[in-house]
Amino acid sequence: MEIELIEIRDFLSAHHPFNQLPEQAINQVPALLQVRYFRRGTTIPDSGSIDDFLYLVRSGAVEIHNTQDELLARLGEGDLFGYRASHMEGHAEFQGTAMEDSLVYLLPAAEVDRFCKEQPQFSYFFEPAGGGRLRDAISNTGEDGSSHLGLMTTQIGDMISRAPISMPPDASIQDTATVMSDERVSSILITEGERLVGIVTDRDLRRRVVAKGLDTSLPISHIMTADPHTLEANNYAFEAMLHMARDNFHHLPILRQGKVAGMLTATDFAERHTTSAVYLVSSVYKQHEVQGLASISSRIPQLLQNLAAADATANSIGHVITAVVDAITVRLLQLAEERFGPPPVPYAWIAAGSQARSEQTAKSDQDNCLVMDDAYDPKAHGEYFKALTGFVCDGLNACGYVYCPGEMMATTDKWRQPLAGWKRYFNHWIEQPEPKALMLTCVFFDLRCIHGEKNLFRQLREYLLAKTRGNQIFLAYMAGNALSFKPPLGFFRNFVLISGGEHDHTFDLKHNGIVPIVDLARVYALAAGSHAINTQDRLKEVASGGEVSHGGAHDLRDALEFVGSLRIRHQARQIKAGEAPNNYMSPDDLSHFERSHLKDAFSVVRTMQNVLSQRYLR
Amino acid sequence: MSIWKYLFNLEERRNWWTRKMPDGPLRDYYATPFPDREIDWRQADYLAIDFETTGLEASQDQILSVGYATVRGDRLVLGDATHILIRPTVDIPEASAVVHGILDDEAAEAQPLEEVLPVILNALKGKALLAHHAAIEYEFLNHACRNLYGYPFLCPVVDTLALEVRQFRMRDQAIRSGDLRLAKARARYGLPRYPAHNALTDALAAGELFLAQVAYRSSSKPPRLKDLIVVS
């Protein structure tokens, strides 16, 4: 290669997928290129088939249309189209139009084939399925090799450091304590043969033996916690963390095919740098003042940053962050009940929206509502629940979960209703759907009981799912709603970017990327009558139900994880820089790799939106 | 220039010289016909070429480097893009070294002009010479050929600067100082900025500018080669 072609080589190596080529290979590329100039408004190609070349936009802008003249993509500097360029997947016939005067590099099809054959990293880019490439992208984001820290990918079995230490239930307290201290463990499993019957911790010895002056020759079964909560060794670490965080345990016996495999302790997480989540939650329950809770929630950004640094998936980070707000909510309700007395009638505190879906990030507002037993009498009980919900919503606001701008909160009279009232609402929404009302209320189709009488919630959920399942008219409205946020077709100058104001020259990861997927999954779940609330869970569950193809659901899950992890990383960066985290990302902050995979993610969403619209809106 | 060019066209003069000339690189060059003036411009080949020199006077200054690449119809092909340093017979004046960045040490490693000129002529065979302000390249080639072979250099010439002047005249626009410089002309067509004053980069830059200029011609019919070349 002539040294002067290095300028072109450097341009190539700044852009995906050429940057995947080893140096020796990329040095060959410039000499294979042809350079063409397309005046604004001209068609590309102007002769021959678009498959004769792979086109790389060097400068200018190109739009890609299919034969129905539907816009498929807007391309700018460094973008590819033509032969094998897969974001045109499923559109065998399409053509480009120069939207600005454009200088374009052409790589002959035969050369593309040759590079694909010789360079597997390069060929991934040209794989036919956007979803396939995306999966690759997700597994590629753990660049620093620290993915072993991933909570979602680590099985509990791999975290247990030693064989289980156990004692039979008839061993004396004294003997058990001796074994614990010899083995230097803070807890011990009580087993009968291979069956787990109980657990004893240092704390039990302190509280139930020493403090009470108990005879230490008594059998250990006397003071053990019987039938403790357990998890299977093939569960993921993050589930263990959630259990420990939610229920405030520090020791969790682990079984393998029903047999005792070992003990997982909070310390095992400490060694994996994710302590803060477990301890954050456990310290929530020690607080007696709203200020204390606020100081805990102020550490959530740090938690998010740690989890992002540990390469946790966006989905697991959502669960962990949500576990903290769940704990804060529960604690606020406990404090409210301490203050205002026990509830006069049973109630269920229900989270809606992102908290219900366990998809909160560093920046979320509160969406919640209250379902009360039908014995509720506004005259007798109204003041109590008004005070209770006021206390909790104010507390959440003080903790940074700001008041919902749409007033979708339990403090709003309309959203604090007995079960019968809620059934009436859902009956109305589902039987007589109105597009505008649905847009506002779709947040109530994602519900999760946080505290109180779970049965109230279950009844409501059964009621509404029975109504939505297979209800074509209602689903058509929901589908229409799900299509209201469309992912951008490409990053192109100001096209998808917000212009002016505080978020000038950015795009909105939430509304352009995440909301469309969440909306799709909600329609699938309601159509299938699925109980799942979390979007990943919904997609996983409906994949086998026929509402959506297996591949489609899989692709959407990957797309969600990819966009979600971009958002988490973006927010982690902002937190690190001392800025307030938000959902607005500048395209300049995207690596080329991210940029091209974000396009894949968007094309997956677009495809699935089209499928949905075909299904319900014809 | 002589009056001959007014009496005989380029092809006739090529034939004339071919018959007169002894064997050698220049005769080899003349053995291939020039591209036909009447053909659609897309059927012609062009050699986008640029020299870095010690100055602007072909009669006294020397070529320090040459860069070229072929424009085949409506596309610039990078496969034969070439850059060669040429060893000058005098020290490089400081004033020009500042511009092109070629220093004495580097130039000393380079090939003498008598080795490079046949390569250039070979690359030019059957093509039109394409350059920005092509008079410089043309005159330096002419001088080199006369000095080394004793015969003049002939070639159809496409000058992107002249094409640019035509554009200004057609639109009845005043030309201000600097408007015709390569970088400024490229910017008017939305072409990217390149670092200037490397012979090959400038040759590529001129080649791309040419493609843009032809794309911008207002007539609906594709121009013929004769519409684009300067009279020489």
Side-chain angles (χ1 to χ4, degrees):
Chain A
M1 180 180 63
E2 289 296 340
I3 190 111
E4 286 69 25
L5 292 178
I6 280 178
E7 205 271 336
I8 292 167
R9 199 273 316 267
D10 289 348
F11 177 81
L12 294 172
S13 54
H15 293 95
H16 204 66
F18 294 100
N19 58 5
Q20 302 290 304
L21 291 172
E23 185 168 346
Q24 167 267 336
I26 197 166
N27 285 344
Q28 297 172 15
V29 182
L32 302 170
L33 294 177
Q34 303 178 8
V35 184
R36 291 206 53 189
Y37 182 87
F38 293 97
R39 190 178 165 179
R40 178 202 319 239
T42 49
T43 299
I44 309 173
D46 43 10
S47 65
S49 156
I50 197 158
D51 281 333
D52 293 345
F53 294 97
L54 177 68
Y55 295 79
L56 172 63
V57 181
R58 173 65 173 85
S59 67
V62 174
E63 277 188 0
I64 306 296
H65 292 259
N66 63 12
T67 41
Q68 285 83 51
D69 213 32
E70 255 185 322
L71 181 60
L72 300 179
R74 292 182 194 228
L75 308 177
E77 183 182 308
D79 288 330
L80 291 167
F81 64 102
Y83 183 63
R84 289 182 85 156
S86 60
H87 53 271
M88 313 306 167
E89 186 205 343
H91 300 281
E93 297 195 5
F94 61 91
Q95 65 176 30
T97 308
M99 300 312 291
E100 291 178 11
D101 295 335
S102 300
L103 194 68
V104 181
Y105 293 154
L106 286 67
L107 184 62
E111 304 294 348
V112 180
D113 283 338
R114 185 169 65 83
F115 279 113
C116 282
K117 211 161 105 195
E118 291 171 4
Q119 309 289 344
Q121 325 86 296
F122 186 78
S123 73
Y124 283 139
F125 187 86
F126 299 99
E127 267 182 18
R133 272 207 280 158
L134 208 54
R135 269 187 280 290
D136 196 54
I138 291 167
S139 62
N140 246 328
T141 41
E143 295 140 346
D144 53 0
S146 60
S147 46
H148 61 282
L149 287 172
L151 295 162
M152 278 302 267
T153 51
T154 308
Q155 293 193 340
I156 297 170
D158 298 332
M159 287 181 71
I160 304 171
S161 39
R162 57 189 295 181
I165 312 295
S166 62
M167 290 295 274
D170 54 1
S172 72
I173 295 172
Q174 167 101 52
D175 289 349
T176 309
T178 308
V179 169
M180 284 172 73
S181 86
D182 288 352
E183 297 285 346
R184 299 169 165 276
V185 290
S186 60
S187 61
I188 194 162
L189 297 164
I190 310 302
T191 53
E192 222 163 23
E194 287 183 334
R195 197 170 67 87
L196 178 73
V197 293
I199 175 176
V200 173
T201 68
D202 273 351
R203 198 158 151 226
D204 298 330
L205 292 173
R206 194 170 68 237
R207 281 173 48 208
R208 296 176 189 165
V209 182
V210 181
K212 298 214 166 131
L214 204 67
D215 180 358
T216 54
S217 64
L218 285 169
I220 192 71
S221 58
H222 201 74
I223 63 148
M224 71 183 184
T225 303
D227 298 324
H229 201 96
T230 62
L231 277 179
E232 278 285 324
N234 62 1
N235 283 136
Y236 289 101
F238 125 86
E239 292 173 68
M241 197 177 95
L242 269 185
H243 273 283
M244 294 168 86
R246 272 187 191 150
D247 303 326
N248 198 16
F249 306 143
H250 287 99
H251 301 88
L252 196 56
I254 304 303
L255 307 181
R256 194 172 271 133
Q257 282 140 25
K259 293 177 195 164
V260 175
M263 181 83 86
L264 189 69
T265 68
T267 325
D268 292 322
F269 284 106
E271 284 160 7
R272 283 167 188 266
H273 310 289
T274 48
T275 353
S276 37
V278 177
Y279 283 107
L280 227 49
V281 168
S282 58
S283 56
V284 161
Y285 293 102
K286 297 188 184 113
Q287 304 305 316
H288 294 277
E289 300 295 335
V290 173
Q291 292 96 308
L293 293 172
S295 88
I296 291 173
S297 73
S298 71
R299 279 148 67 191
I300 288 178
Q302 183 60 43
L303 171 64
L304 179 133
Q305 208 190 325
N306 290 349
L307 290 167
D311 252 342
T313 62
N315 188 38
S316 61
I317 291 174
H319 275 93
V320 171
I321 302 281
T322 307
V324 179
V325 62
D326 284 358
I328 289 174
T329 310
V330 170
R331 188 62 191 152
L332 282 167
L333 282 159
Q334 289 171 346
L335 293 175
E337 287 183 24
E338 276 174 24
R339 176 180 294 207
F340 304 115
V345 296
Y347 72 91
W349 180 277
I350 314 275
S354 64
Q355 186 186 355
R357 295 190 308 267
S358 297
E359 289 165 10
Q360 290 217 317
T361 64
K363 174 76 184 164
S364 297
D365 35 338
Q366 51 170 307
D367 294 307
N368 47 53
C369 60
L370 200 73
V371 181
M372 294 167 293
D373 191 276
D374 282 335
Y376 170 76
D377 171 7
K379 283 198 198 83
H381 312 134
E383 280 310 308
Y384 175 89
F385 285 108
K386 202 176 171 81
L388 178 105
T389 54
F391 179 87
V392 175
C393 290
D394 288 351
L396 285 171
N397 187 59
C399 289
Y401 303 97
V402 294
Y403 297 122
C404 169
E407 307 213 309
M408 306 272 182
M409 292 183 295
T411 39
T412 308
D413 293 345
K414 194 176 177 189
W415 310 131
R416 191 175 65 245
Q417 292 289 328
L419 181 60
W422 279 104
K423 285 184 176 171
R424 236 183 357 261
Y425 287 163
F426 278 103
N427 186 53
H428 180 75
W429 292 334
I430 297 167
E431 299 300 332
Q432 292 153 296
E434 296 159 34
K436 205 171 165 192
L438 268 189
M439 208 144 104
L440 294 173
T441 53
C442 73
V443 70
F444 284 124
F445 287 90
D446 303 339
L447 298 176
R448 189 163 55 86
C449 183
I450 303 298
H451 187 69
E453 183 50 56
K454 288 198 165 59
N455 216 12
L456 284 171
F457 168 69
R458 277 193 208 112
Q459 288 178 46
L460 180 61
R461 187 179 58 189
E462 291 304 334
Y463 178 82
L464 86 92
L465 286 179
K467 284 197 163 296
T468 62
R469 194 180 296 121
N471 182 335
Q472 296 298 314
I473 296 168
F474 168 72
L475 291 169
Y477 276 96
M478 286 301 274
N481 185 43
L483 301 177
S484 55
F485 286 108
K486 292 211 167 143
L489 292 163
F491 301 111
F492 174 73
R493 309 287 152 92
N494 295 321
F495 174 62
V496 299
L497 304 180
I498 296 161
S499 53
E502 190 188 345
H503 304 298
D504 193 25
H505 198 66
T506 59
F507 63 95
D508 183 343
L509 276 176
K510 184 180 171 187
H511 289 103
N512 283 331
I514 291 170
V515 168
I517 303 176
V518 167
D519 286 348
L520 283 170
R522 182 183 301 116
V523 178
Y524 301 148
L526 291 175
S530 161
H531 286 192
I533 301 295
N534 175 260
T535 303
Q536 290 281 353
D537 293 346
R538 279 177 164 169
L539 291 169
K540 212 185 300 180
E541 216 172 89
V542 296
S544 44
E547 264 312 308
V548 58
S549 73
H550 217 274
H554 199 151
D555 286 352
L556 278 176
R557 290 174 58 196
D558 287 336
L560 178 64
E561 177 55 35
F562 188 78
V563 181
S565 75
L566 267 188
R567 171 160 80 154
I568 296 284
R569 272 160 242 279
H570 166 67
Q571 295 187 341
R573 265 197 302 272
Q574 289 181 315
I575 292 162
K576 201 171 174 193
E579 298 163 18
N582 61 31
N583 295 313
Y584 302 99
M585 196 162 183
S586 161
D588 305 339
D589 293 340
L590 289 170
S591 73
H592 220 76
F593 179 82
E594 290 168 332
R595 211 174 113 134
S596 81
H597 286 98
L598 199 51
K599 271 186 194 156
D600 284 352
F602 288 156
S603 83
V604 163
V605 177
R606 285 275 291 180
T607 307
M608 297 313 289
Q609 284 186 334
N610 288 341
V611 171
L612 189 77
S613 118
Q614 288 288 312
R615 189 180 174 108
Y616 288 109
L617 302 179
R618 265 178 310 178
Chain B
M1 284 294 278
S2 64
I3 62 157
W4 298 112
K5 74 178 188 184
Y6 299 103
L7 301 178
F8 302 100
N9 73 26
L10 199 62
E11 193 61 20
E12 287 164 339
R13 283 182 285 148
R14 181 186 68 78
N15 278 324
W16 162 264
W17 287 118
T18 310
R19 283 195 295 276
K20 284 194 63 155
M21 214 179 286
D23 281 353
L26 191 55
R27 179 152 196 311
D28 287 349
Y29 165 70
Y30 281 139
T32 309
F34 293 139
D36 185 345
R37 290 165 47 84
E38 301 295 326
I39 57 174
D40 184 319
W41 75 283
R42 289 169 295 187
Q43 284 162 341
D45 285 356
Y46 312 78
L47 193 72
I49 190 166
D50 184 69
F51 292 151
E52 295 299 317
T53 58
T54 58
L56 296 175
E57 282 301 322
S59 54
Q60 53 192 23
D61 290 313
Q62 302 204 3
I63 306 171
L64 294 171
S65 66
V66 56
Y68 61 79
T70 301
V71 174
R72 187 155 293 142
D74 58 7
R75 61 200 64 201
L76 175 63
V77 294
L78 299 179
D80 66 352
T82 301
H83 183 255
I84 306 172
L85 285 178
I86 298 167
R87 186 160 71 217
T89 55
V90 295
D91 286 347
I92 297 171
E94 202 182 318
S96 77
V98 172
V99 175
H100 50 63
I102 299 170
L103 304 173
D104 286 330
D105 294 354
E106 287 175 280
E109 313 254 306
Q111 305 172 59
L113 183 61
E114 50 268 39
E115 285 176 23
V116 180
L117 192 55
V119 179
I120 299 172
L121 289 173
N122 190 51
L124 261 170
K125 269 183 195 166
K127 295 174 189 159
L129 184 153
L130 168 62
H132 194 70
H133 195 13
I136 302 264
E137 278 68 25
Y138 192 87
E139 281 309 315
F140 270 91
L141 279 172
N142 193 21
H143 252 271
C145 287
R146 283 180 181 277
N147 284 343
L148 290 171
Y149 310 125
Y151 290 94
F153 171 75
L154 288 176
C155 190
V157 173
V158 175
D159 185 352
T160 50
L161 187 142
L163 290 175
E164 205 54 20
V165 171
R166 272 195 228 172
Q167 281 288 329
F168 272 91
R169 297 256 161 84
M170 225 134 69
R171 287 194 225 110
D172 209 16
Q173 257 177 302
I175 301 174
R176 278 167 316 206
S177 135
D179 273 351
L180 298 176
R181 297 234 312 273
L182 183 55
K184 196 108 183 250
R186 283 172 61 85
R188 280 195 289 278
Y189 296 91
L191 291 165
R193 284 179 68 91
Y194 289 153
H197 298 301
N198 166 281
L200 181 53
T201 313
D202 283 353
L204 298 177
E208 291 171 359
L209 175 61
F210 169 67
L211 296 177
Q213 286 171 330
V214 184
Y216 258 86
R217 284 178 66 95
S218 42
S219 71
S220 55
K221 248 174 57 184
R224 299 181 192 203
L225 182 58
K226 68 175 177 190
D227 301 327
L228 301 174
I229 57 181
V230 291
V231 181
S232 65

